[in-house]
Structure formats: C-alpha cells, structure tokens
Amino acid sequence: MSENLSPSRNRAFFIAGLGVALLIAVFLSPFASKNPDGLDRVSQDLKFDHKAAEDAPARKLPFAHIFDEYALKGVPEAVATPLAGLAGTLATFGLAWGIGKLVVRGSGSSSKDEQASPDSEPSDQPLD
C-alpha cells in the first residue's frame, strides 16, 4: 500500500468523525432531557444540593458568562443549546487535535534522528 494514501485516509477519517460529532451536537442536543443530570440528581435525592457553592470557581472563568448550563447566553432559546453543542464540540476537537500534534511532533524528532543514518554501524566506543 502506498504511504501517500495514509495522510488522506487519516484526514478523511477525522473530517468524517468531526462531521458526525457536529451533527449529533447540533441536531440531537435539543432533544436532551430537561431533567437533572447524574450529579445534580444525586445531590437532590440525598438532599445536599443546597450546599452547592454560590460563587463557584468555574463561574470566574472568562467563558463562564457566555454559557449557562448547556446553552449559549444571548441567543434565542431555540438555537442556544445547538450552538453550545457546536462550540463545545469544536473546542474539544481543537484541543485534542492540538495536543495530538504536539505529542506526535515530540515523538517524531527522535525517530527522525535514528533514521538519518541507517547505513552507519553502531560504534563499540563508549560515549563520554
């Protein structure tokens, strides 16, 4: 198999995966349950939901004023959740892609050094 097909196959795989994730985030998120999620439900069942911090550290983050629960603030309610899903999916994909590029770049430099001189024989002399 040709090595030239590998990058294009990887690119197609990532684009298809991102596309599916975006379709799910945008078109299925409005159908999500309005009931409390796992931790909220447990805190309500065990009667400690009133102990939640009013001034939580997460609310001090720069983007905390843009998102409210699972919706985007300042836009019509009908599109607030799909837009939040779109933004969250793109942010998560971007972070994962960036970290992946850094990891691959870091591990690729040592293998390039080893491949630079495939003809040279290993030396029996100790390194100083």
Side-chain angles (χ1 to χ4, degrees):
M1 182 179 285
S2 174
E3 290 182 25
N4 292 338
L5 292 178
S6 181
S8 64
R9 281 187 171 175
N10 285 344
R11 183 174 293 123
F13 176 76
F14 285 119
I15 290 172
L18 179 61
V20 169
L22 289 173
L23 286 172
I24 290 170
V26 171
F27 292 111
L28 294 183
S29 62
F31 300 107
S33 174
K34 301 295 181 196
N35 295 329
D37 61 6
L39 186 57
D40 288 335
R41 175 64 188 264
V42 170
S43 68
Q44 290 171 0
D45 289 350
L46 298 178
K47 311 263 190 277
F48 66 86
D49 57 331
H50 63 281
K51 293 183 180 181
E54 291 297 324
D55 193 26
R59 297 208 184 270
K60 296 177 183 176
L61 294 172
F63 53 82
H65 300 291
I66 299 171
F67 297 100
D68 180 30
E69 292 291 322
Y70 298 105
L72 196 63
K73 288 183 181 178
V75 295
E77 190 176 331
V79 295
T81 301
L83 285 177
L86 176 76
T89 302
L90 288 174
T92 302
F93 178 80
L95 284 171
W97 182 78
I99 291 170
K101 282 291 194 184
L102 290 174
V103 169
V104 168
R105 184 181 305 155
S107 67
S109 62
S110 62
S111 65
K112 286 180 184 176
D113 294 340
E114 293 170 4
Q115 294 174 357
S117 58
D119 299 325
S120 63
E121 295 283 327
S123 173
D124 291 335
Q125 297 191 5
L127 297 174
D128 290 330

